[in-house]
Amino acid sequence: MAVLVTGGAGYIGSHMVWSLLDEGEDVVVLDRLSTGFRWALAPEAKFYEGDIADRGLLARIFEAHAVDAIIHFAGSVVVPDSVSDPLTYYNNNTVKSHALIAAAVEAGVPHMVFSSTAAVYGTPQQAAPVAEDAALKPESPYGASKLMTEIMLRDTAAAHPLTYTTLRYFNVAGADPRGRAGQSTAGATHLIKVACETALGRRSKLQIYGTDYPTPDGTCIRDYIHVSDLADAHLKALQRLRAGGSSLTANCGYGRGFSVLDVVDCVARLSGRDLPVETVARRPGDATFVVADASIARHELGWQPVHDDLDFIVRSALDWEEHLGKRNDR
C-alpha cells in the first residue's frame, strides 16, 4: 500500500514524508510547489508536481500506485491573508479539497487524514484548554474554510466507505531534530520562525501585534507543538484507521500555552542576541488564548509527544535557520 501526501513539499508535509519513510511506507507526494520546495522532499518519495484539484492527475496517481490513504496538507494557512483575500482561501482550502475527496471516493481510497486547525474554535469563551466539543466559531476565512472541509469529509464518510481522522493543529513550530526538514517558506508568519530569523539578522525587527490582550503580559497565548510530534500524531492516526478504527476528530497540542513575549524571551536567550521588537496594532483574526485539550489524541490514537519543551522547539528552529543560511550562501 502507498500513502499519498498532498502538500508534501511544504513545512509539515515534508516532515510527514520523512516520518512515513522512516516507518518503511511507500510514499507518493502531490504538490504544486507554490510554497513548498522540491529540494525539501526526501529522495525516496515519488513526486508529482500538480494541483490537488486536477482530477485527471489524481486518477493517474491512483492508477499507478496502490494508494490506501491520503494525508492532506495542501492548502493556504495565513490568517491575515485569508481576511484580505477570502475567495482564494475558500478555493484552495475548500473547493480543491472537495475535488480531492471526490477523486478519493471515485478511486475507492478507504482512508484520509486531514490537516485542520484550532482556528475552527475562534476565541474560546474561557482561558482554559479547548476540547473538540467546544463551540465552532471561526473568526477568519482560514478557519471557516477548514471547518467547511471538515463538514464535507464528515458527510462524505457517512455516505461512502471512507474513514477519516481530522487533526486540529494548534501552533506548529520547530524542525526535524535530525536536520532533514524545517520551515523554509520565505515571508512566513509563524512567530517562532519570524523570531529566529530576526535573531539571526535576516529580519530587521519582530513585530508584536497587540499588547493589550487580557493575558498576564498583554500578548496572545498559544500552544506550541513541535512539528515532529505532529507528524507522529498523523502516523498514529493512519495506523488506527488501517486497523479498522472509526472516523475521529482530535486536537494536536500540548495543553499549555506560552505568550508572544515568552517566545521572544526564549529565542533571545537561546540565540544569545537581543531581538529588535516593534509593537503594532492587533491583527485581524487573532484569538487571545488558544490551548489544546489533546486527551482524545492521547487516548484514542495512543499519541505520546516527546518534544513538549519550548526550549527544544526553539533550539531546533534556530538550528534549521542556521542550516538555511549556509544553504543559501552556497
Side-chain angles (χ1 to χ4, degrees):
M1 294 292 105
V3 180
L4 172 63
V5 181
T6 69
Y11 172 39
I12 305 173
S14 60
H15 287 81
M16 187 74 248
V17 170
W18 279 112
S19 293
L20 290 165
L21 291 169
D22 288 346
E23 291 294 313
E25 296 282 352
D26 184 12
V27 182
V28 182
V29 171
L30 173 60
D31 198 306
R32 66 180 185 176
L33 301 180
S34 59
T35 57
F37 301 92
R38 182 70 179 87
W39 58 260
L41 271 177
E44 298 87 353
K46 301 172 184 69
F47 176 64
Y48 292 82
E49 183 174 351
D51 198 283
I52 62 168
D54 186 337
R55 294 287 295 273
L57 176 57
L58 288 168
R60 292 195 296 275
I61 291 172
F62 294 141
E63 183 177 356
H65 306 279
V67 174
D68 79 318
I70 299 169
I71 304 182
H72 178 29
F73 296 103
S76 300
V77 300
V78 181
V79 170
D81 288 354
S82 79
V83 175
S84 61
D85 188 10
L87 291 177
T88 292
Y89 274 68
Y90 288 120
N91 185 46
N92 286 346
N93 294 351
T94 309
V95 175
K96 292 185 179 183
S97 290
H98 172 280
L100 177 67
I101 295 168
V105 169
E106 183 176 314
V109 176
H111 308 305
M112 182 176 288
V113 181
F114 173 54
S115 162
S116 192
T117 171
V120 300
Y121 299 116
T123 298
Q125 297 302 305
Q126 298 178 333
V130 61
E132 292 82 358
D133 59 358
L136 301 176
K137 297 181 179 179
E139 297 173 359
S140 66
Y142 166 63
S145 69
K146 288 287 192 173
L147 180 56
M148 289 179 182
T149 301
E150 286 193 21
I151 294 168
M152 264 197 310
L153 194 53
R154 179 199 68 194
D155 293 345
T156 302
H160 298 280
L162 172 71
T163 55
Y164 68 90
T165 299
T166 291
L167 297 179
R168 292 174 178 160
Y169 305 172
F170 283 63
N171 282 59
V172 188
D176 175 43
R178 294 166 62 181
R180 299 174 298 181
Q183 170 60 287
S184 307
T185 307
T189 60
H190 303 71
L191 174 60
I192 290 178
K193 166 79 170 176
V194 172
C196 289
E197 288 180 332
T198 305
L200 297 177
R202 301 204 184 105
R203 297 194 189 218
S204 61
K205 62 188 174 184
L206 170 68
Q207 290 185 320
I208 296 178
Y209 297 95
T211 56
D212 58 347
Y213 286 92
T215 62
D217 64 19
T219 63
C220 294
I221 292 175
R222 295 290 184 269
D223 188 335
Y224 294 93
I225 174 174
H226 193 278
V227 63
S228 295
D229 279 338
L230 183 61
D232 185 60
H234 289 74
L235 190 62
K236 296 289 194 299
L238 173 63
Q239 292 166 345
R240 178 180 174 276
L241 290 173
R242 283 175 166 170
S246 59
S247 295
L248 181 73
T249 296
N251 289 334
C252 289
Y254 292 146
R256 61 189 181 123
F258 295 94
S259 73
V260 173
L261 291 180
D262 288 334
V263 171
V264 171
D265 290 345
C266 182
V267 173
R269 174 170 50 82
L270 292 180
S271 67
R273 299 167 187 171
D274 290 331
L275 277 63
V277 171
E278 178 186 21
T279 299
V280 296
R282 291 188 184 192
R283 200 166 47 176
D286 276 350
T288 301
F289 178 99
V290 187
V291 172
D293 178 343
S295 301
I296 288 179
R298 290 174 182 269
H299 296 153
E300 296 295 328
L301 302 181
W303 179 58
Q304 296 294 330
V306 296
H307 300 309
D308 179 5
D309 180 81
L310 184 62
D311 278 18
F312 183 89
I313 294 170
V314 168
R315 181 72 266 165
S316 68
L318 281 168
D319 289 345
W320 181 254
E321 287 304 319
E322 291 172 350
H323 166 79
L324 282 181
K326 294 174 183 176
R327 187 180 191 282
N328 293 335
D329 289 342
R330 290 173 189 164

